[in-house]
Amino acid sequence: MRARYRIPLKTAVGITAFGAACIGYAAGVEARSFRLRRVSVPVLPPGMHPLRVLQISDIHMVSGQRKKQRWLRELAALRPDFVINTGDNLSDPEAVPEVLDALGPLMEYPGAYVFGSNDYYGPRLRNPAKYLAEKISGKHGLNGNPPVVGAVHNPWEGMRDAFDAAGWVGLSNTRGRIKLDGGQEIALTGLDDPHIKRDRYGEVAGGPEEDADFSLAVVHAPYLRVLDAFTADRYPLILAGHTHGGQLCVPFYGALVTNCDLDTDRVKGLSTHRAGGHESYLHVSAGCGTNRYTPVRFACPPESTLLTLLPRPS
């Protein structure tokens, strides 16, 4: 007869207590420990004055998240030259007024935005193990998976209208420009969310605009097909969000998933991407929120990023 081995009661209790402590920390402490990441990127034409860009992403606002709202309002004190919002503002159909209140001070600055899937559709309760299964299968969102049935539609139109009224430029499969107080003109090319297959690169292809002072690319989810297209078209900088930095990471190891086909080495922060014989800088924000049904972060604090764009070496 094969011997049966059992975990001693004290060990089992200790493991359970440790797990509970980690969940408590991830939900009650780290998910509310908002950080500002500062990054410098040498992408501007030689001789151009440095620019400060505030990227906000993946707010996933739930009604009543007062600390998050206060923190977002306080970011206006950074006085950026312009703001880029890379989507997923909502995780609650009732939270549009609170998103607009939190972003109100930032909407006094020039800005632009793209939307993510969670702006259009309400969140769902989801088994976290499915993210690992999708990584193994290579299927993410609507990229290879069947359409979602019975999705809740968010009232995103009011948020869009408020952004537009503030002068922020919508970049869903289109181009736009921002004119800064110093007189510089920034050309932007954006895509709707590739995670739900709304990207239409053919509508914006052609690369940077030569008569602008600087051009950059914006998208919510950093899928490789999008990064390849932007890079091959010679955009010097691509801004994205969506990944939450992995959200639940392993200390001293990093992220396990990216929720898209981007590799985990580039799940957040500044990196580079090569395609078509060219190279672009890529910045992926880990975002400052979570899906309302998984309100936890571990070894991956919520963040926004202040990017200082510097002249590239001549």
Side-chain angles (χ1 to χ4, degrees):
M1 181 180 295
R2 197 184 321 182
R4 299 178 65 186
Y5 297 95
R6 296 184 180 182
I7 298 175
L9 179 60
K10 286 185 178 180
T11 303
V13 170
I15 292 172
T16 302
F18 178 75
C22 288
I23 293 172
Y25 167 78
V29 178
E30 186 161 333
R32 295 160 53 86
S33 299
F34 302 105
R35 312 287 175 86
L36 178 70
R37 180 192 295 270
R38 295 176 183 267
V39 176
S40 295
V41 196
V43 290
L44 297 179
M48 188 172 174
H49 192 275
L51 297 175
R52 300 188 336 139
V53 185
L54 179 67
Q55 183 186 358
I56 52 177
S57 193
D58 297 271
I59 296 170
H60 289 283
M61 187 70 77
V62 175
S63 186
Q65 291 183 326
R66 305 299 179 211
K67 183 175 182 180
K68 184 190 293 182
Q69 293 168 41
R70 288 194 302 271
W71 180 72
L72 286 167
R73 285 195 293 268
E74 290 168 358
L75 292 175
L78 295 169
R79 302 185 64 81
D81 291 297
F82 62 99
V83 179
I84 299 292
N85 181 333
T86 42
D88 271 9
N89 296 276
L90 299 172
S91 197
D92 180 351
E94 305 297 322
V96 170
E98 286 162 287
V99 169
L100 298 178
D101 179 69
L103 296 181
L106 288 174
M107 290 160 64
E108 298 295 322
Y109 295 93
Y113 66 94
V114 292
F115 282 149
S117 60
N118 284 269
D119 293 305
Y120 299 116
Y121 303 107
R124 294 178 297 133
L125 183 62
R126 198 166 191 260
N127 183 347
K130 286 189 175 181
Y131 292 103
L132 288 170
E134 289 178 348
K135 178 181 179 180
I136 294 170
S137 69
K139 300 175 181 179
H140 306 273
L142 295 186
N143 297 274
N145 290 315
V148 176
V149 177
V152 174
H153 288 254
N154 283 334
W156 59 272
E157 295 90 346
M159 188 166 57
R160 174 204 60 196
D161 293 346
F163 288 168
D164 291 349
W168 279 14
V169 179
L171 295 173
S172 294
N173 296 325
T174 190
R175 293 170 176 258
R177 289 203 177 194
I178 295 175
K179 189 165 185 176
L180 306 182
D181 291 341
Q184 306 97 328
E185 278 199 293
I186 309 301
L188 306 110
T189 303
L191 291 173
D192 212 340
D193 191 5
H195 192 60
I196 50 176
K197 299 183 73 173
R198 292 176 67 120
D199 53 307
R200 304 288 183 269
Y201 195 81
E203 298 179 11
V204 296
E209 299 176 26
E210 293 183 0
D211 61 336
D213 292 289
F214 180 66
S215 295
L216 63 84
V218 184
V219 67
H220 174 66
Y223 277 79
L224 295 179
R225 66 176 182 270
V226 170
L227 303 183
D228 286 348
F230 278 137
T231 302
D233 261 350
R234 304 188 183 191
Y235 284 91
L237 175 63
I238 307 166
L239 301 183
H242 175 71
T243 65
H244 296 191
Q247 190 165 328
L248 297 175
C249 298
V250 178
F252 309 110
Y253 177 82
L256 300 175
V257 297
T258 63
N259 197 20
C260 63
D261 58 0
L262 184 70
D263 54 279
T264 53
D265 286 344
R266 298 184 291 170
V267 70
K268 66 178 179 180
L270 187 67
S271 62
T272 57
H273 187 77
R274 292 192 61 81
H278 304 288
E279 183 175 80
S280 299
Y281 280 101
L282 167 67
H283 183 266
V284 179
S285 172
C288 60
T290 65
N291 184 304
R292 68 182 303 172
Y293 295 116
T294 51
V296 292
R297 280 181 175 258
F298 195 80
C300 185
E303 67 176 38
S304 289
T305 306
L306 185 66
L307 297 107
T308 300
L309 309 186
L310 301 171
R312 61 180 180 269
S314 59

